[in-house]
Amino acid sequence: MIPSRRTKNGRASSKILPLGLYTVRETQAPAYYTINETVMTANLEFSGQIVTFEVLDKSVSTGVSIIKRGYNEVMPNNPLVYTFSNIANTSSVPLDSFYWRDTLPSAIRCEKLVTGTYNQQLSYKIVYQTNLSNGEYRTINDNLSTSRNYALDISNAALGLANNEYITEIMFVFGHVKAGFAQVETPYLYARSIWGLPNGAMFTNQADVGGVYNGQWITSVSRWVTKVYNYTHIEMPRTGY
């Protein structure tokens, strides 16, 4: 194969070569273009001969998606449920290091995670961080199948967390996914709001998804805001006899 280098105008040129038969194939495409796999043959028969090939690359589209939904309002120490939908690689090309993640506020405590299912057969893992983990990931479960829907206990007791410790991030790690990778059954996160939240306070959960194509991250973010409704009973004065 002829070693060559690409110039600014998209052309590739090689050093001076001995006469003979060579094959030419594109091994790296410009950003957002696919590699043309066609193998071409160059037969160098005399000194000074120039052989020219035209290589046409198809353009690609890249994108990922996720939608997060939850309760609009919640009272302190009450259950709440978040749903995740449209988790997908919407690109026309595969992505590496594909993940989706939920970043959690300090106003809630996790209880249960339902993983959902996905349309490509893969093994994946789920990791998490806490307010005391110093940025290090711990594993909830590994070697999970995308075709099975799991219900995982992620309470503080189940994970062996300290009394003052709580989950701040949960991440699904899939690795390499093909174009069109998508969620099938819905993932759910079950949690509970903490005591002492003031009336009218608001907290935000943020979900994001991403993957790598040609060394560049392709990401998308979805946020959900919940307002605290803290009912206060007021004893009215009694009237009459």
Side-chain angles (χ1 to χ4, degrees), residues 76 196-202 227-232:
L197 295 173
N199 185 53
M202 292 186 291
K227 186 175 181 179
V228 176
Y229 172 65
N230 196 344
Y231 171 76
T232 303

mmCIF file of all heavy atoms in Angstrom, residues 76 196-202 227-232:
data_model
loop_
_atom_site.group_PDB
_atom_site.id
_atom_site.type_symbol
_atom_site.label_atom_id
_atom_site.label_comp_id
_atom_site.label_asym_id
_atom_site.label_seq_id
_atom_site.Cartn_x
_atom_site.Cartn_y
_atom_site.Cartn_z
ATOM 1 N N PRO A 76 -41.849 17.329 51.296
ATOM 2 C CA PRO A 76 -40.689 16.731 51.961
ATOM 3 C C PRO A 76 -40.988 15.301 52.409
ATOM 4 O O PRO A 76 -42.116 14.962 52.786
ATOM 5 C CB PRO A 76 -40.461 17.656 53.171
ATOM 6 C CG PRO A 76 -41.048 18.961 52.751
ATOM 7 C CD PRO A 76 -42.238 18.619 51.913
ATOM 8 N N GLY A 196 -37.265 18.531 55.691
ATOM 9 C CA GLY A 196 -36.776 19.884 55.914
ATOM 10 C C GLY A 196 -36.685 20.767 54.702
ATOM 11 O O GLY A 196 -36.150 21.884 54.793
ATOM 12 N N LEU A 197 -37.195 20.343 53.553
ATOM 13 C CA LEU A 197 -37.156 21.201 52.365
ATOM 14 C C LEU A 197 -38.162 22.338 52.525
ATOM 15 O O LEU A 197 -39.332 22.092 52.816
ATOM 16 C CB LEU A 197 -37.473 20.391 51.109
ATOM 17 C CG LEU A 197 -36.469 19.302 50.739
ATOM 18 C CD1 LEU A 197 -36.995 18.475 49.571
ATOM 19 C CD2 LEU A 197 -35.117 19.917 50.401
ATOM 20 N N PRO A 198 -37.741 23.576 52.329
ATOM 21 C CA PRO A 198 -38.652 24.707 52.528
ATOM 22 C C PRO A 198 -39.689 24.817 51.411
ATOM 23 O O PRO A 198 -39.423 24.450 50.261
ATOM 24 C CB PRO A 198 -37.721 25.918 52.526
ATOM 25 C CG PRO A 198 -36.547 25.487 51.724
ATOM 26 C CD PRO A 198 -36.381 24.018 51.971
ATOM 27 N N ASN A 199 -40.851 25.318 51.752
ATOM 28 C CA ASN A 199 -41.917 25.522 50.774
ATOM 29 C C ASN A 199 -41.444 26.464 49.662
ATOM 30 O O ASN A 199 -40.847 27.508 49.918
ATOM 31 C CB ASN A 199 -43.152 26.109 51.458
ATOM 32 C CG ASN A 199 -44.321 26.231 50.507
ATOM 33 O OD1 ASN A 199 -44.702 25.271 49.855
ATOM 34 N ND2 ASN A 199 -44.882 27.432 50.417
ATOM 35 N N GLY A 200 -41.693 26.085 48.415
ATOM 36 C CA GLY A 200 -41.315 26.928 47.280
ATOM 37 C C GLY A 200 -39.918 26.696 46.757
ATOM 38 O O GLY A 200 -39.558 27.222 45.698
ATOM 39 N N ALA A 201 -39.117 25.909 47.474
ATOM 40 C CA ALA A 201 -37.770 25.605 46.982
ATOM 41 C C ALA A 201 -37.865 24.755 45.713
ATOM 42 O O ALA A 201 -38.852 24.047 45.498
ATOM 43 C CB ALA A 201 -36.965 24.879 48.053
ATOM 44 N N MET A 202 -36.853 24.820 44.871
ATOM 45 C CA MET A 202 -36.840 24.042 43.635
ATOM 46 C C MET A 202 -35.506 23.312 43.507
ATOM 47 O O MET A 202 -34.464 23.830 43.927
ATOM 48 C CB MET A 202 -37.060 24.958 42.424
ATOM 49 C CG MET A 202 -38.454 25.561 42.373
ATOM 50 S SD MET A 202 -38.774 26.511 40.864
ATOM 51 C CE MET A 202 -37.677 27.912 41.121
ATOM 52 N N LYS A 227 -40.632 21.454 42.184
ATOM 53 C CA LYS A 227 -40.871 22.468 43.219
ATOM 54 C C LYS A 227 -41.362 21.796 44.494
ATOM 55 O O LYS A 227 -42.128 20.829 44.454
ATOM 56 C CB LYS A 227 -41.913 23.480 42.722
ATOM 57 C CG LYS A 227 -42.129 24.669 43.652
ATOM 58 C CD LYS A 227 -43.084 25.670 43.021
ATOM 59 C CE LYS A 227 -43.282 26.877 43.922
ATOM 60 N NZ LYS A 227 -44.198 27.885 43.309
ATOM 61 N N VAL A 228 -40.926 22.320 45.626
ATOM 62 C CA VAL A 228 -41.298 21.760 46.922
ATOM 63 C C VAL A 228 -42.589 22.407 47.399
ATOM 64 O O VAL A 228 -42.716 23.638 47.419
ATOM 65 C CB VAL A 228 -40.181 21.971 47.966
ATOM 66 C CG1 VAL A 228 -40.623 21.466 49.339
ATOM 67 C CG2 VAL A 228 -38.895 21.285 47.520
ATOM 68 N N TYR A 229 -43.541 21.559 47.776
ATOM 69 C CA TYR A 229 -44.778 22.037 48.390
ATOM 70 C C TYR A 229 -44.779 21.565 49.823
ATOM 71 O O TYR A 229 -44.915 20.380 50.103
ATOM 72 C CB TYR A 229 -45.998 21.500 47.643
ATOM 73 C CG TYR A 229 -47.314 21.795 48.324
ATOM 74 C CD1 TYR A 229 -47.768 23.109 48.482
ATOM 75 C CD2 TYR A 229 -48.114 20.760 48.808
ATOM 76 C CE1 TYR A 229 -48.968 23.372 49.103
ATOM 77 C CE2 TYR A 229 -49.318 21.015 49.433
ATOM 78 C CZ TYR A 229 -49.737 22.328 49.572
ATOM 79 O OH TYR A 229 -50.937 22.600 50.210
ATOM 80 N N ASN A 230 -44.563 22.465 50.747
ATOM 81 C CA ASN A 230 -44.460 22.119 52.164
ATOM 82 C C ASN A 230 -45.704 22.627 52.878
ATOM 83 O O ASN A 230 -45.806 23.786 53.256
ATOM 84 C CB ASN A 230 -43.196 22.736 52.768
ATOM 85 C CG ASN A 230 -42.845 22.108 54.107
ATOM 86 O OD1 ASN A 230 -43.658 21.446 54.732
ATOM 87 N ND2 ASN A 230 -41.614 22.321 54.549
ATOM 88 N N TYR A 231 -46.673 21.725 53.036
ATOM 89 C CA TYR A 231 -47.954 22.093 53.652
ATOM 90 C C TYR A 231 -47.752 22.358 55.132
ATOM 91 O O TYR A 231 -47.125 21.583 55.851
ATOM 92 C CB TYR A 231 -48.966 20.972 53.448
ATOM 93 C CG TYR A 231 -50.252 21.155 54.222
ATOM 94 C CD1 TYR A 231 -51.216 22.076 53.798
ATOM 95 C CD2 TYR A 231 -50.497 20.423 55.379
ATOM 96 C CE1 TYR A 231 -52.387 22.247 54.509
ATOM 97 C CE2 TYR A 231 -51.662 20.587 56.083
ATOM 98 C CZ TYR A 231 -52.615 21.499 55.649
ATOM 99 O OH TYR A 231 -53.775 21.670 56.356
ATOM 100 N N THR A 232 -48.257 23.479 55.590
ATOM 101 C CA THR A 232 -48.207 23.841 57.011
ATOM 102 C C THR A 232 -49.617 23.984 57.535
ATOM 103 O O THR A 232 -50.411 24.789 57.017
ATOM 104 C CB THR A 232 -47.444 25.159 57.221
ATOM 105 O OG1 THR A 232 -46.128 25.031 56.675
ATOM 106 C CG2 THR A 232 -47.350 25.490 58.701
#
